Amino acid sequence: MTKTIHTLTPTAISSAYSLIKPYIHTTPLLTNTTLNNLASTPQSIDALQGTEYEGQTPATPKIRFFFKCENYQRVGAFKARGAFHALLRLIEEVGEEEVRGRGVVTHSSGNHAQALALAAQTLHIPAYIVMPSISTSSKIAGTKGYGAEVIFSGSTSTEREAVVAEVQAKTNAILIPPYDHFDIICGQGTTGLELHSQYAALVAEKPELSVHGSQTGELDAVITPVGGGGLNAGVATFYADKSTKVFGAEPSFEGGDDCRRGLVAGERVTSVKTLTVADGLRTPVGVLNWEVISDANKVAGVYAVTEAQIKAAMRLVLERMKVVVEPSAVVGLAVCLFNEDFRRRVEKEAPQGWDVGVVFSGGNTTVEAIGKLFA
């Protein structure tokens, strides 16, 4: 099969799932009444000060959450799906002997780094991982713990890619990019496949969990974080033939909302320099990913939230759900709770409300990092 945007289909996601299922966890789908109630309560008048909605009545959407907990995935993030899929397909295509002889290389701030290191260790392939020197210590330790050789770089994607080129020149290793890659996108899209079937089963058993109060086949919406865009593009690809709307969420800090800004401008933003607390979302959206996300038939919109809103959402998940997440994981929840544009959209499009699937993308943080964040 020639891998192009036209072959990025729900069928391709299903095929990826069949291949990686023996290697990944089926992660849980959780609900939480407290967060449902918070999302369905108008924001305070103060929260709208300084925004275009200052002085207006806050929106009152009705939202029921279904949290897909990829923080419980192997390596603590959804990235294990894409890494296993890309490496298994590579072995199929060029042969195990060649892949083993050359090894694989990638660059990542942490979650894809650990994921490819695990996949390579599992399949007995040498791995070279380029990581920013400011990566979370637990992510560096995790990557080394899976037997990969870690090479440090600067924090921007340009600096990271330059070091990858040096590694390839020395080793002839095969590049498996962190997000801008057909097989990575298909692997990440299996998150949506699981979410879809788990939601249907849960609501069939407990219809009262749905905002519709009865058995319903599909979520009204799914929201995922957007960094490089592999997860969002993959999930949007899976849902392309369904009624569920897919949304993206980004940090606004220092221009971290490159995808949202690109959609407004009508062209992809090619570089990002942000030190947002959502460290997994510091990269620009990939070229292939942009083709999916910029298609309004596949992704219905991308919304941004502030650092304070990300931290507030993370605190709620830690304290109310007792679930350990990293800041990147909660940007989607933060949009639902605090982004007035999104909240008004739900209120306008669905007076009866929406069942919203929120992907918690990962949980790779440390007690020290959490302490520092909330000090």
Side-chain angles (χ1 to χ4, degrees):
M1 179 182 73
T2 307
K3 296 173 180 178
T4 68
I5 189 72
H6 305 294
T7 54
L8 204 49
T9 62
T11 305
I13 306 294
S14 299
S15 171
Y17 193 60
S18 301
L19 191 62
I20 67 172
K21 201 168 185 313
Y23 300 99
I24 61 163
H25 296 326
T26 301
T27 55
L29 189 67
L30 302 182
T31 59
N32 187 273
T33 304
T34 302
L35 291 181
N36 290 345
N37 292 341
L38 285 170
S40 304
T41 302
Q43 295 193 79
S44 68
I45 299 292
D46 291 346
L48 303 187
Q49 281 189 338
T51 75
E52 62 185 289
Y53 299 112
E54 186 171 344
Q56 296 183 27
T57 304
T60 313
K62 193 172 180 189
I63 295 173
R64 293 283 179 90
F65 289 122
F66 296 83
F67 298 103
K68 180 61 172 157
C69 294
E70 285 294 291
N71 52 308
Y72 293 133
Q73 186 52 266
R74 296 187 74 183
V75 310
F78 73 94
K79 296 277 190 175
R81 297 172 182 271
F84 269 106
H85 186 240
L87 191 51
L88 288 162
R89 290 290 185 209
L90 181 64
I91 289 167
E92 274 182 3
E93 285 157 20
V94 305
E96 193 169 351
E97 198 174 319
E98 180 163 351
V99 180
R100 193 163 290 161
R102 294 171 62 185
V104 291
V105 63
T106 197
H107 62 89
S108 162
S109 64
N111 286 341
H112 178 65
Q114 293 178 89
L116 188 61
L118 171 65
Q121 182 188 62
T122 305
L123 301 168
H124 311 294
I125 309 290
Y128 307 94
I129 314 290
V130 175
M131 299 184 75
S133 52
I134 61 167
S135 297
T136 307
S137 58
S138 61
K139 292 180 180 181
I140 295 169
T143 306
K144 288 180 175 176
Y146 293 122
E149 184 179 328
V150 173
I151 304 101
F152 293 109
S153 72
S155 60
T156 68
S157 51
T158 309
E159 291 169 308
R160 284 151 51 160
E161 285 161 11
V163 177
V164 166
E166 289 171 19
V167 172
Q168 284 186 290
K170 284 181 191 169
T171 64
N172 199 30
I174 303 165
L175 175 65
I176 295 185
Y179 49 84
D180 198 4
H181 186 280
F182 182 96
D183 292 324
I184 293 285
I185 294 170
C186 288
Q188 318 306 29
T190 64
T191 307
L193 183 151
E194 276 186 10
L195 170 59
H196 178 71
S197 60
Q198 287 173 307
Y199 167 78
L202 185 59
V203 172
E205 183 189 344
K206 298 179 178 177
E208 69 276 9
L209 292 174
S210 169
V211 78
H212 306 291
S214 61
Q215 187 174 336
T216 175
E218 296 186 4
L219 284 155
D220 297 290
V222 173
I223 189 163
T224 85
V226 177
L231 175 64
N232 194 254
V235 169
T237 297
F238 172 75
Y239 280 105
D241 60 356
K242 296 171 179 59
S243 63
T244 302
K245 288 181 168 69
V246 175
F247 296 95
E250 292 181 294
S252 59
F253 184 66
E254 295 180 338
D257 55 342
D258 63 289
C259 187
R260 186 198 64 77
R261 292 185 292 115
L263 291 172
V264 172
E267 61 180 347
R268 187 176 78 93
V269 175
T270 57
S271 69
V272 180
K273 289 184 179 177
T274 175
L275 290 177
T276 172
V277 293
D279 64 314
L281 310 181
R282 291 175 181 170
T283 46
V285 172
V287 177
L288 184 55
N289 316 56
W290 173 256
E291 283 196 58
V292 177
I293 297 169
S294 62
D295 181 345
N297 294 317
K298 292 180 179 173
V299 176
V302 176
Y303 296 87
V305 282
T306 66
E307 301 291 274
Q309 290 166 341
I310 292 168
K311 287 196 270 189
M314 185 173 170
R315 180 188 285 274
L316 285 167
V317 175
L318 292 169
E319 294 181 352
R320 303 299 178 91
M321 291 185 71
K322 321 302 178 193
V323 170
V324 177
V325 284
E326 58 189 279
S328 302
V330 299
V331 288
L333 172 61
V335 164
C336 296
L337 292 171
F338 307 119
N339 185 293
E340 193 67 7
D341 286 332
F342 180 82
R343 293 171 59 78
R344 283 170 185 251
R345 180 171 186 163
V346 179
E347 184 179 51
K348 181 183 173 187
E349 291 188 18
Q352 81 280 15
W354 274 357
D355 286 353
V356 180
V358 175
V359 179
F360 284 161
S361 53
N364 287 318
T365 186
T366 62
V367 172
E368 289 78 14
I370 293 170
K372 193 174 170 185
L373 208 56
F374 296 105

